[in-house]
Amino acid sequence: MSAEAAKPKPKSAAKPKNGAARVKKAPEKRQEELGPLRNQLFPIGVDYFPLDEERAGFNEWYQRDYEAEFTAMAEARLSLVRLFVSWKLFEPQVGQYDADAEDRLADMLAAARAHDLKVIVTFFGDDRLAEMNDLPWAKKRDPRTDDYLIAREVALVQRIANRFRSEPSLWAWELGNEAFITGFASEDALQKWAGALRDAIREVDTVRAVLLGCDPETLVRETGVDARTAVDGFEYGVSHVTAPYRAYAAEGPLTYGPATYLDSFLLRAALRDLPVLANSIGVHSLEPSVAEEAAYVRVALYSALMNRASGAVLRRWRDLETEKREPYFRDPYEVLVGLTDVHGEPKPVLAEVRKFARVAARLDLRMLSLVPERAAVVIPAERYEPLPSLTGLYAPRSCLQSYIAAKEAHLPVGLAREGDEIGSFHALFIPSAARLTPAMWASLASFVQSGGSVVLSYGGGDADPALREVFGVEFLGDHGVRPVVSCRIAQPGLLGDLTSFDVQLDVPHYALVGAGTSTVVATDATGSPLLTLNQYGQGKAVFLAAPLERAIAQSDPWAAPDAVRSLLRTVYGSVARAAGAGPVIDCNEPSVEIALFTGEAGDVVFVLNHSSEPLTATLTTDRVVASVADIRGGAAAPVGARAFGVPLGANGAAALRLTYG
Amino acid sequence: MPRSTALLTAEELARQGAVGAAVSACYEALALDNREPRIHALLAHLMLEGDFYDQAIAAATRAIEIDPDCSAAYLALGLAYDRRGGMWDQSVLVWHELAEVVPDLVTAHVQLGEAFSAASFDDEALDSWKRALVLDPKEARATYNLAIASLKREGMALALPLFRQAGELDPSQDELFFHLLGVKDGAPGPIDVEAVKPDRASRLSVAGLALKTEDYFAAADLVRLVLDENPDDPEALALASFAYLKQESANESMACALRALTLDPELATALYCLGVVYARRTGLNRHAARVFIALAKRAGSHGLVHVLLAESLLGLQRFEAASKAYRLAVRLDPACVRARFGLAASYLTEGRHAEAQWEIRRAAYYDTKRQGLFWRLYDEYVKAGDGQ
């Protein structure tokens, strides 16, 4: 029996009503030995839904032993909990508020405070079970657009915010969640609703952050409504891998391939000028085993920290106890994906969360900062084109593959959108774009002219005249679909260590180009340029004649030919290095992601294995590393070289403190 | 009701594989008549081609709402549910419906079985696959699924023969032999042995064509002529071995292959025949594995070689090595259904159920893409509509 299990249970963790949390108590060591329990600058939290049993009624809103569960959360080193206000319960009749419900919320906030948990209070969230917004008196009017109901909503949020504005445990107010916000049919309606409620809260509480609970990228994919402008009016953004978005962008195994990059891709997409919470991390179906679920959550949590999230919130505290019936018909949406099972027993995923929290707690984000991203994948504006244009459907997948290629080249990489300011970057990747706006072409020309580097892959259709100017190639036409990608190296070493190959991969287009002023780096089997490099002003412009990112995305991203993936990451890496946007720490394993936090007292490197096989990654730095030590503590291992190996388990991660000498 | 020009244009573009242009044409056709089920069905198919499942589901559902007999839309809807994943209950209903609308559609029963299996209705799944095999005893995917079911219930020892049986129903195995032989297409017409040039190269070349078109008499005559001149011709012996193999004469096939390999130990076609014969014999998996390892060194770029090796390794209960060989096969040929099912089997032995399920889904994905069933159902539906 472990030392942890041998410890007597504290009273607060004794078996509560409904068999709630029975999470093991951590050994009682001195605080100095343990180090900080939580990272206040990177809070880790969980969604705490009002009902844990399918047969429960809406009025049983949080009628359970939340004290015990908050204890368990605190012991798991969580620092955030999201609570959901039930409008139906709080305002049973127009203008009449339920004092008991408000008192229960007050008790919960006090309990959270007692356990040093911060709270996000969500208004108008929908869990598809607790009927939180199903008002009997609303007479089926839409709470998103009906002026009267919006006025009632304003009254409710002001009432709650006013009562609890001095509550220290409150961390933020949140408006809606994905399930509610997908009901909006237009940007205007969303902006009007979100603006009215945000202003209402700010009238009474100017201290707390206000969030809009939707990820703009997944929302635009789901509904066609672009929430970016609405989100810009808030203090935080959120990123959220929804089940439909995963089915669209990375349907497949969770523990390797594109699925492991999707969380950070959406996080990067949501990161614009606001800090972003990585929201509702967890699986979306019941297919993965508990071990796969734990591995996936581990990757998602580390990805969040390594890609500039401001915190992470897990999908559900406890599994929903469903009605005993066969077959199992309930949508698995937020049902059996909790950190604990229906009896409150911790699942393996909770152990992962606790381990991660321990690592995150040791990362002093006041002293350390992530190396800035000087390379970016550009999401073309055509991504927002509706059907019948298919570019809106192709573009996000191509961008995800481009992002993965950049990660495989170990580049610190961000996402930018066509039209964004690109001057802060040194290298840009524009994957498989069919059309760029004239303004973007002008911006690109200026960017390259002044020393930036660009990799552009052809996306079909006619080429813009600026292609000739910037990329130095003469566009002769689209050769159409090709079932084989052939590469013959014409200029070895010019864009990294490329090799010739022929592989089966359907490419939807192939640009026939004349070399013009550019240098042909590689051709296809017939001698038609595949890869060209043009010096334009101070910078370099690389043209790929085939939309390889889209070809990988549209074929089988889990079994894409290694040769094509290698070509992409080699070109990306080479271009970025030459532009001063290369990796700060290099690695021999493409599936390993690296993030370096630098500080005056030393650096911390995070290493994450995106494959489901164990491996040893060799990291190479610019300086001689004197020693490495696990960030959680323990003895430092002497290195005395520029390269050192890091053994990683399947989907494993390591956080190492580096000292140089 | 006659089809509009816009719909005809969309059809033509879709048949050419111009997905983007066809989608635009569909929208033009919908602008003229949005209650035409054929346009919605076609749009569903196009969205499925682009792997845009939510859009495919929406379009196919609309087509079925307008005409509940639109079988092509059922097919698109069922495939979209299956490929999207996590929608097994809906999928079961759709395949069940399609099996009612087109009872002789084997794929509907296979897919129904897979949907049942994914939803953990194992007995119903077995019934569906058995029904598919009644309709078409050579349906490889139904047999693969039965093998997987057998693996889950009874273990690898009893499942392996079923995997091999499915593999032999799968035409890809013969394709490997002809790939090794360098024969792409079969003979364009009947082969006249007398008309073949009387030299070794021509006789062997035409014998290869004859084998490809399953004209074993002509092939035997030509091989015999070569062996009459030189009984120690390894290539002719390898052809003879293959001909015996196809006629279930395992001992003769083994003898010819062994003789060929005595003369030329690296002859890939002979290695193939010997390996396949060994693999069919109970207790000779170790021998088969050695032969396939040799073949993998000679023709390692072909995915099926690694599948054959993996199957032998499964027989030796060397699951990890089998899994590696299957993964290599999938990397070389993602569309190899046999490798996908084999990989699923090896994942199941490791307890990796979600990944196994994924491989089975990918096998279905490639198999249904290859079949091109949509156009058969669509054309039948259009014909029935035009006849009314």
Side-chain angles (χ1 to χ4, degrees):
Chain A
M1 186 186 278
S2 70
E4 285 189 17
K7 288 278 177 192
K9 279 183 181 176
K11 279 183 184 173
S12 57
K15 186 178 176 184
K17 183 186 160 188
N18 295 340
R22 273 183 249 135
V23 179
K24 289 171 187 168
K25 174 82 172 164
E28 290 173 6
K29 291 182 183 173
R30 285 185 307 137
Q31 187 63 39
E32 306 88 81
E33 289 174 43
L34 287 169
L37 282 173
R38 301 154 176 177
N39 190 331
Q40 298 301 332
L41 296 178
F42 187 85
I44 303 164
V46 67
D47 285 354
Y48 191 58
F49 286 97
L51 303 183
D52 275 343
E53 294 171 13
E54 197 180 355
R55 60 178 174 271
F58 80 95
N59 52 353
E60 293 175 71
W61 183 82
Y62 292 118
Q63 274 191 359
R64 56 179 188 266
D65 193 348
Y66 43 79
E67 281 269 359
E69 297 198 307
F70 285 173
T71 304
M73 287 178 200
E75 286 171 357
R77 296 180 176 229
L78 298 183
S79 52
L80 256 187
V81 59
R82 176 181 274 119
L83 304 179
F84 296 82
V85 167
S86 169
W87 189 7
K88 183 176 184 175
L89 189 72
F90 275 62
E91 193 175 356
Q93 298 294 329
V94 183
Q96 292 181 10
Y97 297 98
D98 186 324
D100 289 347
E102 288 181 20
D103 290 345
R104 203 180 306 158
L105 178 60
D107 287 347
M108 291 181 78
L109 292 172
R113 185 182 351 123
H115 291 92
D116 204 15
L117 289 169
K118 296 288 181 189
V119 179
I120 300 173
V121 173
T122 299
F123 295 104
F124 317 113
D126 182 2
D127 70 344
R128 305 183 183 183
L129 186 65
E131 304 167 18
M132 290 187 280
N133 303 311
D134 296 348
L135 303 174
W137 49 267
K139 296 180 180 166
K140 301 202 174 175
R141 285 173 295 190
D142 189 346
R144 300 164 188 87
T145 51
D146 184 85
D147 286 340
Y148 177 69
L149 286 185
I150 291 175
R152 297 305 323 149
E153 289 168 320
V154 165
L156 176 76
V157 298
Q158 285 199 322
R159 181 182 173 89
I160 302 291
N162 196 35
R163 173 164 175 184
F164 297 109
R165 63 183 172 178
S166 56
E167 168 59 52
S169 65
L170 256 174
W171 190 73
W173 304 103
E174 185 179 49
L175 300 174
N177 63 358
E178 302 269 354
F180 178 81
I181 293 174
T182 46
F184 283 95
S186 72
E187 281 94 6
D188 289 344
L190 175 59
Q191 275 182 50
K192 184 183 166 197
W193 179 84
L197 290 166
R198 179 198 59 216
D199 295 345
I201 292 175
R202 282 189 181 155
E203 269 182 32
V204 290
D205 184 355
T206 53
V207 178
R208 302 310 181 320
V210 188
L211 288 72
L212 183 63
C214 71
D215 179 329
E217 171 63 20
T218 54
L219 189 73
V220 76
R221 156 78 199 145
E222 178 91 2
T223 62
V225 173
D226 184 357
R228 284 179 296 165
T229 313
V231 168
D232 284 344
F234 290 79
E235 280 85 27
Y236 271 82
V238 296
S239 71
H240 179 193
V241 181
T242 59
Y245 200 87
R246 180 179 299 290
Y248 156 73
E251 172 60 23
L254 287 175
T255 53
Y256 62 94
T260 61
Y261 291 94
L262 190 59
D263 289 80
S264 70
F265 175 75
L266 284 178
L267 171 62
R268 291 280 183 182
L271 270 171
R272 289 174 300 135
D273 295 326
L274 297 176
V276 170
L277 268 186
N279 216 7
S280 292
I281 291 174
V283 295
H284 295 86
S285 78
L286 308 181
E287 281 177 12
S289 67
V290 286
E292 287 166 325
E293 185 179 338
Y296 166 71
V297 168
R298 184 193 313 138
V299 172
L301 287 171
Y302 275 92
S303 291
L305 184 56
M306 294 164 73
N307 287 280
R308 295 193 184 276
S310 296
V313 182
L314 290 128
R315 196 167 171 70
R316 186 180 186 101
W317 173 249
R318 194 166 132 174
D319 286 348
L320 182 81
E321 186 169 2
T322 53
E323 284 184 35
K324 305 285 184 287
R325 63 169 178 237
E326 292 288 345
Y328 178 76
F329 277 123
R330 191 165 176 78
D331 189 329
Y333 177 80
E334 290 170 351
V335 173
L336 293 176
V337 292
L339 301 180
T340 63
D341 67 13
V342 291
H343 306 297
E345 293 291 344
K347 293 181 3 187
V349 67
L350 184 60
E352 288 298 337
V353 174
R354 190 187 288 121
K355 276 187 211 163
F356 172 76
R358 195 176 160 211
V359 171
R362 293 282 188 159
L363 186 72
D364 187 350
L365 290 168
R366 286 165 302 187
M367 307 298 289
L368 293 158
S369 58
L370 203 52
V371 167
E373 296 78 14
R374 298 290 180 213
V377 173
V378 178
I379 301 174
E382 62 189 12
R383 184 264 167 277
Y384 294 94
E385 286 180 11
L387 285 168
S389 166
L390 290 178
T391 51
L393 294 172
Y394 288 133
R397 287 181 179 169
S398 305
C399 291
L400 173 60
Q401 290 305 322
S402 176
Y403 175 76
I404 293 171
K407 286 283 184 191
E408 287 182 343
H410 307 113
L411 305 177
V413 66
L415 292 183
R417 284 179 177 73
E418 188 176 339
D420 285 356
E421 171 56 43
I422 53 176
S424 62
F425 298 110
H426 295 176
L428 296 175
F429 312 118
I430 308 175
S432 314
R435 194 167 48 81
L436 299 174
T437 57
M440 184 64 188
W441 277 111
S443 182
L444 271 184
S446 160
F447 175 76
V448 181
Q449 187 94 50
S450 55
S453 291
V454 176
V455 180
L456 171 78
S457 60
Y458 175 65
D462 286 336
D464 193 279
L467 183 75
R468 182 181 173 188
E469 184 197 341
V470 180
F471 290 85
V473 290
E474 299 281 351
F475 181 72
L476 305 172
D478 182 356
H479 190 249
V481 181
R482 289 186 174 193
V484 173
V485 180
S486 298
C487 174
R488 303 286 179 271
I489 305 303
Q491 295 285 341
L494 202 57
L495 282 177
D497 188 17
L498 298 171
T499 50
S500 299
F501 61 82
D502 295 283
V503 292
Q504 299 276 339
L505 179 69
D506 286 336
V507 281
H509 306 280
Y510 193 96
L512 299 173
V513 292
T517 59
S518 66
T519 305
V520 177
V521 181
T523 69
D524 68 358
T526 63
S528 180
L530 171 68
L531 187 61
T532 64
L533 169 65
N534 190 44
Q535 183 76 39
Y536 181 69
Q538 305 286 310
K540 289 187 171 68
V542 173
F543 181 69
L544 249 172
L548 293 184
E549 299 91 348
R550 184 175 141 192
I552 292 172
Q554 292 296 126
S555 59
D556 192 339
W558 274 264
D562 288 341
V564 176
R565 297 173 69 97
S566 170
L567 171 82
L568 270 184
R569 66 173 171 261
T570 307
V571 171
Y572 280 21
S574 167
V575 168
R577 275 186 185 87
V584 219
I585 292 187
D586 218 336
C587 178
N588 64 333
E589 289 285 350
S591 62
V592 169
E593 182 179 352
I594 311 250
L596 182 69
F597 290 83
T598 56
E600 286 183 7
D603 296 349
V604 171
V605 62
F606 276 72
V607 191
L608 175 62
N609 181 7
H610 281 269
S611 91
S612 55
E613 304 293 331
L615 51 82
T616 297
T618 303
L619 272 52
T620 309
T621 61
D622 289 336
R623 292 189 276 169
V624 172
V625 176
S627 66
V628 295
D630 192 310
I631 192 175
R632 292 169 297 181
V639 177
R642 286 178 55 234
F644 57 97
V646 181
L648 295 165
N651 304 110
L656 305 170
R657 197 174 297 284
L658 307 182
T659 54
Y660 301 99
Chain B
M1 198 173 93
R3 282 169 286 170
S4 68
T5 313
L7 175 54
L8 288 171
T9 308
E11 278 178 29
E12 197 180 328
L13 289 164
R15 285 180 209 272
Q16 289 166 5
V19 176
V23 168
S24 296
C26 279
Y27 273 79
E28 283 172 26
L30 283 174
L32 299 172
D33 178 7
N34 68 358
R35 286 201 52 82
E36 169 55 80
R38 289 171 289 197
I39 310 173
H40 291 286
L42 190 58
L43 192 56
H45 168 70
L46 291 165
M47 290 301 172
L48 205 53
E49 287 290 291
D51 295 331
F52 304 124
Y53 305 131
D54 290 338
Q55 281 76 12
I57 289 168
T61 306
R62 182 80 183 115
I64 293 167
E65 279 169 7
I66 297 168
D67 181 1
D69 288 332
C70 185
S71 54
Y74 281 109
L75 179 77
L77 183 59
L79 291 175
Y81 280 147
D82 286 354
R83 291 179 189 176
R84 190 188 183 285
M87 306 183 84
W88 306 115
D89 43 356
Q90 295 97 321
S91 179
V92 165
L93 295 175
V94 172
W95 291 119
H96 199 273
E97 194 68 31
L98 185 57
E100 296 273 316
V101 176
V102 193
D104 62 339
L105 188 66
V106 181
T107 300
H109 296 283
V110 179
Q111 295 288 133
L112 178 61
E114 288 185 359
F116 271 135
S117 175
S120 299
F121 296 107
D122 293 336
D123 292 337
E124 288 80 356
L126 287 177
D127 290 344
S128 298
W129 293 322
K130 285 175 183 165
R131 263 199 305 281
L133 286 172
V134 168
L135 290 169
D136 178 6
K138 291 190 171 180
E139 168 52 50
R141 193 148 60 91
T143 315
Y144 281 126
N145 275 305
L146 286 174
I148 292 281
S150 170
L151 172 65
K152 286 180 187 168
R153 289 176 173 211
E154 291 139 341
M156 184 56 82
L158 292 175
L160 194 57
L162 273 172
F163 277 109
R164 292 222 166 99
Q165 185 187 329
E168 284 168 21
L169 295 174
D170 197 327
S172 59
Q173 183 161 322
D174 285 351
E175 289 302 320
L176 171 60
F177 177 80
F178 293 111
H179 170 80
L180 298 172
L181 198 59
V183 172
K184 283 186 180 166
D185 302 311
I191 292 169
D192 180 1
V193 175
E194 300 296 325
V196 177
K197 279 189 190 172
D199 60 82
R200 175 184 175 275
S202 303
R203 281 170 175 160
L204 289 181
S205 166
V206 178
L209 293 178
L211 286 173
K212 176 103 179 167
T213 44
E214 300 190 0
D215 183 351
Y216 297 118
F217 290 108
D221 287 344
L222 289 163
V223 168
R224 192 178 301 117
L225 287 171
V226 175
L227 289 175
D228 283 348
E229 287 179 5
N230 176 15
D232 287 340
D233 187 320
E235 288 176 31
L237 285 164
L239 291 182
S241 176
F242 183 77
Y244 280 125
L245 193 63
K246 293 304 290 178
Q247 293 170 92
E248 306 295 332
S249 304
N251 289 339
E252 290 81 355
S253 176
M254 193 188 320
C256 288
L258 280 170
R259 178 70 188 145
L261 289 170
T262 310
L263 300 164
D264 180 356
E266 294 191 344
L267 184 62
T269 46
L271 284 169
Y272 167 85
C273 293
L274 186 61
V276 172
V277 173
Y278 280 155
R280 284 184 186 178
R281 291 288 180 94
T282 313
L284 293 185
N285 278 317
R286 190 179 302 278
H287 293 61
R290 284 179 183 158
V291 174
F292 287 134
I293 286 170
L295 184 58
K297 285 180 185 164
R298 297 280 303 143
S301 63
H302 202 290
L304 201 64
V305 173
H306 301 281
V307 173
L308 293 171
L309 172 60
E311 285 173 1
S312 306
L313 293 168
L314 279 187
L316 294 171
Q317 302 202 358
R318 291 176 57 192
F319 299 125
E320 201 177 323
S323 186
K324 272 185 188 166
Y326 275 129
R327 277 203 289 271
L328 179 55
V330 167
R331 272 213 300 278
L332 289 167
D333 181 6
C336 181
V337 170
R338 190 169 172 178
R340 294 282 186 178
F341 271 100
L343 190 53
S346 66
Y347 280 145
L348 284 173
T349 61
E350 296 170 28
R352 294 160 72 173
H353 292 265
E355 284 166 85
Q357 190 59 40
W358 163 253
E359 295 301 333
I360 292 169
R361 275 171 54 200
R362 289 314 278 180
Y365 173 90
Y366 285 111
D367 196 40
T368 48
K369 275 210 160 183
R370 179 183 57 77
Q371 289 171 336
L373 274 177
F374 175 82
W375 290 113
R376 184 194 128 191
L377 295 182
Y378 182 83
D379 290 339
E380 283 173 8
Y381 177 71
V382 168
K383 201 172 163 188
D386 288 346
Q388 285 173 4

